Amino acid sequence: MYNTKFITADGKDLYPGYLGREQRVLIRNRYSGKKEYMWCACRPDAGLYYKISEDLKIYPEHNGYMHDKYCCRYKDVTGTGAQKLPYTVGENGDVTVCTSFDPRRFPGSADNLEQNRQYAADSNAEATESEEILTDRDNSGKRISEPQLGLDRLIRCINVDCFTEKVLNGKTIENRQSFSTFVYHRTKKVRLSRNKITLGDLNLEKDGVRFIYTPFAGIYQSKDQNFLRCYMQTLGIDGKVFKNFTFPEIAKRAMAKFRKQYGTEPDANTFLAGFQYIKNNPASGKNELNSSVYRVLGRVHLFQVSDAGIYCRSITELNTFNALHKITNSNHAIKFWIPPEDESVGAIIEIDGCRKKILLLFRSGNNNALSYNPDLYVPFVVDNSVLVTEQILYTLVR
């Protein structure tokens, strides 16, 4: 289990990446004049003490600490740091991501589709005007050994990172619509590893690409003068349906992947995320559109979200997060968050007054062993046969 947190003398968990200036001031003032009030959670019995300085940065109280190898603060005897992660929430709150693709480049396979005369580029397709996430990435010169995110994992990381940031800062998440707005603003903090631009700053006019994140409303196809046009429809904030032009094969692959992952058809829980590009029309012919440019979805991912808007990798996760959302809404002594840097952990559940936290795990096809500290966590494995209830959560930590 990858560690990024600190533990305070009063038993609270602190994630530096989610601590704003005001929170750091409060913590520093609370422990003013005291030493050894905050320590790294990777080895809680080792006394790896840290403090918040006058400039609100976090410094070790002593030199020569040896952290666990799964800790973000780990360095070996040569000074080499921990394994680099493809999605990193830094202690200053900025996020760095590394993707396996360059989103500013239209996918090669889709480029081939564009040359096929049976499709018509549509410059009149409506743009999605709802609040959306925006993203960008340059992969030039990247080493193969460096961990990277594909489109689906990138979307999930941004989603659960945003959820965790809001929960740990005491923000209320009412529903998936309001959470989508939070996600949009979170991308202003997400920076591509080899670019200076953040995902939230990309736009079609300047960069020729943007990353949309919005409710999915189905696929629509039409024929005009024997040319096939395909649209992936999305919903705006006011419920208006927008048409996003794409190529049929792109929509078909997205639907096939969704059906395989969830074993169901898209429904009201389904969101769409993907890169939309500005493209030049093919050479003009008498049956082609006269406009010189058009908008088209090049990379598309469909996924399920919970009632609170949390990305769900399975129907089991969907049902579990919906149950947890109801529990936390009715009992404010319970809260949960999802560490974006550790995909093996489904969620961490905290109950006020309980020393240990619940490590929520989902069964999967992966047999990777999970390392965790039994002094801090109680594991709870969920599958289709287990229903998460408030009573079960309290039983686990007592």
Side-chain angles (χ1 to χ4, degrees), residues 12 332-335 350-355 394:
K12 297 294 183 181
H332 298 302
I334 303 175
K335 67 179 179 181
E350 178 183 78
I351 301 178
D352 285 351
C354 297
R355 184 176 64 86
Y394 274 99

Side-chain angles (χ1 to χ4, degrees), residues 296-337:
V296 57
L297 291 178
R299 290 183 174 90
V300 179
H301 179 54
L302 299 175
F303 57 99
Q304 295 289 75
V305 299
S306 70
D307 292 342
I310 303 171
Y311 186 107
C312 301
R313 293 171 291 189
S314 66
I315 299 301
T316 299
E317 287 196 7
L318 177 66
N319 294 333
T320 301
F321 290 142
N322 282 342
L324 285 173
H325 184 58
K326 291 178 180 178
I327 291 171
T328 54
N329 277 347
S330 61
N331 185 348
H332 298 302
I334 303 175
K335 67 179 179 181
F336 74 99
W337 59 89

Side-chain angles (χ1 to χ4, degrees), residues 73-146:
R73 302 171 191 94
Y74 169 80
K75 290 187 184 301
D76 61 20
V77 293
T78 67
T80 303
Q83 170 68 36
K84 187 174 181 181
L85 299 174
Y87 195 96
T88 305
V89 183
E91 294 196 353
N92 62 354
D94 290 333
V95 180
T96 303
V97 298
C98 178
T99 61
S100 61
F101 59 93
D102 182 352
R104 295 173 303 172
R105 296 181 180 180
F106 199 66
S109 59
D111 254 330
N112 295 334
L113 291 174
E114 182 187 23
Q115 304 304 320
N116 194 323
R117 295 295 191 209
Q118 67 176 305
Y119 306 123
D122 189 353
S123 61
N124 297 315
E126 297 173 276
T128 303
E129 300 296 338
S130 57
E131 295 276 3
E132 297 166 341
I133 308 182
L134 305 131
T135 139
D136 160 51
R137 182 43 167 274
D138 184 357
N139 238 10
S140 58
K142 194 158 295 302
R143 295 176 299 172
I144 296 176
S145 61
E146 195 170 65

